[in-house]
Amino acid sequence: MALMRCPECAKEVSSHAPACPACGYPLQARVAPPPADAPHALQSPHLWGRVAMVLGAWLITPWIARLIVALAVCVLAYFMFTGR
C-alpha cells in the first residue's frame, strides 16, 4: 500500500482509499464496468419468481377477502337468529 498526496489538501492518503479522509476529495472513481454478457431482462431468475408472486397474490387475495366477509356474515347471522 503506497501513500500519495491528496490533490485538494496535500495530506498523505493511501492509494487504495476511495476518498481523502481529511477533506473528502474523491481519489478513485469507482465505476463498475457493465458486464460483457448481461442476460436479457426476461432471462433473469428473479423476474419469473416475482411474476408468479404477483399473479398468485392477484388470484388469491380476492378469495381471502370473500372468505373473511362470508365468515363475518355467518357469525353475525348466528348471533342475530339465536338471540344471544
Side-chain angles (χ1 to χ4, degrees):
M1 174 171 69
L3 293 177
M4 59 183 235
R5 294 219 178 259
C6 172
E8 186 72 21
C9 66
K11 296 202 178 205
E12 289 189 351
V13 182
S14 168
S15 61
H16 297 291
C20 175
C23 66
Y25 184 80
L27 299 173
Q28 297 177 6
R30 299 211 177 201
V31 178
D37 56 342
H40 191 267
L42 293 177
Q43 294 175 348
S44 172
H46 303 292
L47 174 72
W48 294 112
R50 289 181 183 156
V51 168
M53 184 174 63
V54 168
L55 183 62
W58 181 70
L59 292 173
I60 292 172
T61 302
W63 290 102
I64 293 172
R66 290 180 191 138
L67 178 66
I68 291 171
V69 169
L71 288 174
V73 168
C74 289
V75 168
L76 183 63
Y78 173 77
F79 285 114
M80 284 177 60
F81 292 118
T82 59
R84 291 187 182 181

